[in-house]
Amino acid sequence: MAAEKRNILELGEKLWEWKLCAQCCAGNDCAGSRCPGQRYRSILRYYQFCEAILRPDPLDEPFKTKFIDENDHHLQVILKVKSNPELSRQELRTIIWGTNSSISLTVMSATIDRAVRTMLMVDCAPSYQPSRRLEEGQSRLPWGDGLPLSKFLEEAFPKHQHHVLSSINHPRHMNFKGELRADRLKKRLGIAFRGTSDLRDHLRLSYTSRGMVLNVYHHVGFLKQQLILTKATQCGESFSQSIKVCGALPRQLMLETIDSLQSILFPVESKKARKLLDRLVATEQWDPEIKIYEFGTIRNPEEKSIPYYYLATSLSELQNELENPPPRGWLERQIERRTADRYMMMATLAGVAFAVLLGILSLIVSTYQAWISYQAWQHPVGSSGS
């Protein structure tokens, strides 16, 4: 554990410029009340994520530990992105490796992707799309060679105005959020919850053969650290400004993400939601920090209730699913299939055809009756007494 703690502290120094106390630097227990080293346990799961992302690749140069060696390419990419988030992928390759590097384009791109994903927890791989993602209709915007990173992030996280969620003074704001508790979604829609380490996938619904799956970003330790970085500093609202000034994603996006987890899906006052959360942490290996509700250390007093812009569309889609739930059983699916618009049109056309057929048959019968009447008139039958 001592070695792991040392690596976590060095991770904080390299990524977020932690100013550690003398005891932390000496490898002892933290003694400073304001030393960021006291929070090393809160980013343990994030550190494990970094280890998984940055473990040695057979195509890359061998390494033992990341974020410690100043010559490591991943660290160089992160430092360049922090100083200038408007660099494109192509410009980063040229700055880090030059124009005549013997390293393949594949290795350079993979290194950039791993570094950016470690720094921002956003998967920006340009080409590979897992088959499961394509089957679920989740193909995503890639980070192209000539596109600035800040522009890519703006397109990956668009803002939308919602008449309820974007206004904290709207009378339905709290009720709207309260309807989307995780236990209610599970009970009414049969939704399953799947953890993700990609911020772009947070609150994204997947439609599988087994039903609906809600992707949930669970690395709350990372979210809290991002909020601490931006709590007392005016970092700007844009991705470019926030990364350049604070080395973090926009505060509004981080607030919405953690609020959607701890105030909407798993609010502290709901025993059923917290019980479901406990099970997900235990069985799905979610970040345990999601169960620790903080306010003063990560939020300002005026941020008790926040408007939603980045996640407004996703939350609105969840609400729409609740209001118009999909069929869950065989009978409900059969009824739904026969009440869909296309089947209503087919039924209408069938009714029109049946009415025309009845009209034709009525015309035939009427004509036959008229012919019989005419024949009776032309050939009257004489009386029996004639």
Side-chain angles (χ1 to χ4, degrees):
M1 184 65 184
E4 186 175 57
K5 177 182 177 181
R6 184 174 62 253
N7 287 344
I8 293 175
L9 294 178
E10 290 180 347
L11 172 65
E13 286 184 300
K14 300 298 183 183
L15 276 185
W16 306 307
E17 300 178 3
W18 279 5
K19 305 298 182 184
L20 301 175
C21 66
Q23 293 297 320
C24 284
C25 294
N28 302 320
D29 291 338
C30 184
S33 59
R34 296 187 177 183
C35 177
Q38 290 187 337
R39 298 188 61 87
Y40 83 92
R41 288 188 180 89
S42 69
I43 62 168
L44 176 60
R45 188 55 56 87
Y46 169 68
Y47 167 76
Q48 293 169 347
F49 164 81
C50 294
E51 285 283 288
I53 293 295
L54 300 174
R55 58 174 173 255
D57 188 305
L59 300 177
D60 203 352
E61 67 275 9
F63 54 83
K64 295 182 179 179
T65 312
K66 291 297 175 186
F67 304 110
I68 298 175
D69 183 3
E70 297 293 340
N71 295 319
D72 177 65
H73 286 148
H74 295 90
L75 180 57
Q76 292 178 23
V77 171
I78 289 173
L79 295 177
K80 291 298 181 184
V81 167
K82 288 176 68 175
S83 64
N84 187 4
E86 296 179 4
L87 290 171
S88 67
R89 180 190 293 273
Q90 185 176 8
E91 290 170 333
L92 276 171
R93 285 201 303 263
T94 302
I95 292 172
I96 302 298
W97 287 278
T99 56
N100 298 314
S101 176
S102 59
I103 299 177
S104 70
L105 184 63
T106 300
V107 170
M108 288 189 286
S109 293
T111 301
I112 292 174
D113 294 335
R114 290 195 296 265
V116 172
R117 189 175 184 189
T118 300
M119 177 186 176
L120 305 176
M121 297 209 77
V122 176
D123 187 359
C124 57
S127 57
Y128 174 67
Q129 297 280 358
S131 58
R132 174 179 60 81
R133 183 179 298 279
L134 295 176
E135 290 171 0
E136 296 173 359
Q138 290 188 347
S139 58
R140 299 178 305 184
L141 176 75
W143 180 22
D145 264 7
L147 188 67
L149 177 60
S150 58
K151 181 65 175 176
F152 161 74
L153 292 171
E154 289 172 3
E155 294 179 358
F157 296 96
K159 281 186 173 183
H160 297 284
Q161 190 81 19
H162 189 274
H163 67 288
V164 175
L165 292 169
S166 300
S167 173
I168 60 175
N169 296 319
H170 194 283
R172 285 199 60 229
H173 183 84
M174 295 305 297
N175 289 337
F176 195 104
K177 292 165 60 176
E179 294 170 358
L180 300 178
R181 265 184 12 215
D183 58 299
R184 291 177 177 173
L185 295 175
K186 183 176 180 64
K187 180 179 180 180
R188 295 177 59 182
L189 298 176
I191 284 182
F193 299 91
R194 179 169 62 203
T196 177
S197 58
D198 190 347
L199 275 166
R200 280 202 290 175
D201 284 341
H202 182 53
L203 297 185
R204 181 172 296 187
L205 275 173
S206 303
Y207 299 88
T208 70
S209 58
R210 296 184 178 182
M212 287 188 293
V213 176
L214 183 64
N215 295 280
V216 178
Y217 176 84
H218 62 92
H219 287 274
V220 172
F222 175 81
L223 296 177
K224 291 178 179 179
Q225 180 57 39
Q226 296 279 293
L227 290 169
I228 290 173
L229 289 172
T230 60
K231 184 173 184 286
T233 306
Q234 295 296 325
C235 301
E237 296 183 0
S238 70
F239 284 91
S240 180
Q241 291 175 321
S242 186
I243 294 173
K244 187 179 296 184
V245 176
C246 295
L249 290 165
R251 183 169 182 81
Q252 179 65 30
L253 174 59
M254 297 295 94
L255 282 171
E256 289 185 33
T257 305
I258 198 169
D259 194 73
S260 67
L261 291 168
Q262 297 187 332
S263 297
I264 296 182
L265 291 178
F266 308 103
V268 65
E269 64 272 12
S270 172
K271 292 183 179 180
K272 292 181 179 179
R274 284 191 284 112
K275 183 178 180 180
L276 175 58
L277 179 61
D278 289 341
R279 184 163 65 249
L280 290 169
V281 171
T283 60
E284 303 297 327
Q285 303 301 308
W286 284 19
D287 186 355
E289 277 294 306
I290 196 174
K291 297 165 57 178
I292 302 175
Y293 296 76
E294 298 183 45
F295 187 88
T297 54
I298 61 175
R299 297 200 194 198
N300 295 307
E302 66 274 13
E303 293 170 339
K304 182 177 181 180
S305 182
I306 62 166
Y308 279 79
Y309 303 102
Y310 291 104
L311 300 180
T313 299
S314 297
L315 291 171
S316 180
E317 288 176 356
L318 279 175
Q319 176 67 19
N320 184 62
E321 291 290 346
L322 281 174
E323 294 178 350
N324 303 282
R328 296 177 61 180
W330 178 86
L331 179 59
E332 289 185 7
R333 286 196 297 270
Q334 295 303 311
I335 295 175
E336 193 275 339
R337 286 178 58 192
R338 285 159 177 74
T339 56
D341 290 344
R342 61 183 182 275
Y343 289 99
M344 291 298 291
M345 180 61 71
M346 291 173 61
T348 301
L349 292 175
V352 170
F354 185 66
V356 171
L357 179 61
L358 284 180
I360 295 174
L361 291 176
S362 298
L363 180 61
I364 293 173
V365 171
S366 299
T367 303
Y368 181 67
Q369 289 177 338
W371 180 81
I372 291 177
S373 299
Y374 176 76
Q375 292 297 320
W377 177 68
Q378 290 287 330
H379 309 283
V381 179
S383 62
S384 57
S386 297

